[in-house]
């Protein structure tokens, strides 16, 4: 700790400050229970990247572009703003108990991507902030309508195309 530093070099609410004496040196804080678990928070190189590790496995990294990398191998070789490399599931739940739950799961071994709700809520695809297609919790699909009493319910004109130029319009 360097007591000569002023509030212009550290934030006013700084509780502790750790400085490395070497330029471009990694710096980290390690927390351990002294037996079998540890956690690290640190910066890499010139401070352009910040990471969090748990039991010697890096779990999160914010890279020099501000991109967030999560998972078992948090590197961002493709330059995405959010990069997840893990068991490939994103799960979200509203704050209230019994609220809406959604998931996105990638299963490489089954060559399957699942996206949807976990609870009995509907799933809607939205453009211009307007629901265009809705999959109800019972499996029925509505296009242009919030209700779908049948397996497929369409509100509006249906166009069926056969061949390169033939169009058949059916109004139901």
């Amino acid at each position: 700790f360097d007591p000569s530093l002023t509030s212009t070099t550290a934030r006013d609410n700084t509780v502790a400050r750790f400085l490395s004496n070497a330029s471009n040196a990694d710096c980290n804080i390690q927390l351990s229970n002294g037996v079998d678990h540890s956690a690290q928070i640190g910066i890499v190189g010139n401070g352009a990247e910040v990471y969090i590790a748990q039991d010697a496995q890096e779990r999160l990294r914010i890279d020099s572009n501000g991109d967030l990398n999560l998972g078992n191998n948090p590197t961002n070789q493709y330059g995405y703003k959010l990069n997840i490399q893990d068991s490939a599931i994103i799960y979200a739940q509203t704050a209230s108990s019994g609220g809406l739950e959604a998931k996105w799961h990638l299963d490489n071994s089954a060559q399957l991507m699942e996206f949807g709700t976990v609870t009995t809520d509907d799933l809607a695809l939205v453009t211009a902030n307007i629901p265009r297609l809705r999959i109800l919790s019972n499996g029925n699909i509505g296009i242009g309508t919030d209700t779908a009493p049948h397996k497929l319910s369409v509100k509006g004109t249906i166009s069926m195309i056969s061949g390169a130029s033939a169009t058949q319009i059916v109004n139901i």
Side-chain angles (χ1 to χ4, degrees), residues 72-131:
N72 293 328
N73 183 18
T75 59
N76 193 350
Q77 62 189 5
Y78 303 111
Y80 300 128
K81 282 297 176 196
L82 174 61
N83 178 45
I84 301 172
Q85 293 184 18
D86 206 329
S87 58
I89 189 165
I90 298 174
Y91 178 82
Q93 180 178 10
T94 56
S96 63
S97 175
L100 175 65
E101 298 176 55
K103 73 172 183 176
W104 180 26
H105 179 252
L106 305 174
D107 186 343
N108 191 44
S109 62
Q111 297 182 339
L112 173 70
M113 183 189 88
E114 295 178 326
F115 175 78
T117 63
V118 178
T119 55
T120 58
D121 297 292
D122 300 342
L123 174 67
L125 297 179
V126 177
T127 63
N129 206 28
I130 299 170

Side-chain angles (χ1 to χ4, degrees), residues 1-2 5-11 14-19 27 29:
F1 178 76
D2 185 354
L5 295 174
T6 67
S7 63
T8 59
T9 55
R11 295 187 187 266
T14 299
V15 175
R17 184 172 182 174
F18 301 91
L19 300 173
C27 178
I29 300 169

Side-chain angles (χ1 to χ4, degrees), residues 65-76:
N65 295 319
D67 300 338
L68 178 60
N69 306 291
L70 304 171
N72 293 328
N73 183 18
T75 59
N76 193 350

Side-chain angles (χ1 to χ4, degrees), residues 12-78:
D12 290 339
N13 60 353
T14 299
V15 175
R17 184 172 182 174
F18 301 91
L19 300 173
S20 174
N21 292 331
S23 63
N24 275 346
D26 295 353
C27 178
N28 69 64
I29 300 169
Q30 183 172 2
L31 309 168
S32 176
N33 67 358
V35 181
D36 57 356
H37 294 291
S38 67
Q40 289 181 317
I41 301 169
I43 59 173
V44 179
N46 63 2
E49 297 189 358
V50 177
Y51 71 90
I52 296 176
Q54 177 187 28
D55 292 333
Q57 179 69 48
E58 189 172 315
R59 301 294 184 189
L60 176 142
R61 181 178 291 248
I62 302 172
D63 67 21
S64 59
N65 295 319
D67 300 338
L68 178 60
N69 306 291
L70 304 171
N72 293 328
N73 183 18
T75 59
N76 193 350
Q77 62 189 5
Y78 303 111

Side-chain angles (χ1 to χ4, degrees), residues 125-139:
L125 297 179
V126 177
T127 63
N129 206 28
I130 299 170
R132 306 295 182 169
L133 182 140
R134 182 178 299 267
I135 304 172
L136 278 61
S137 61
N138 65 6

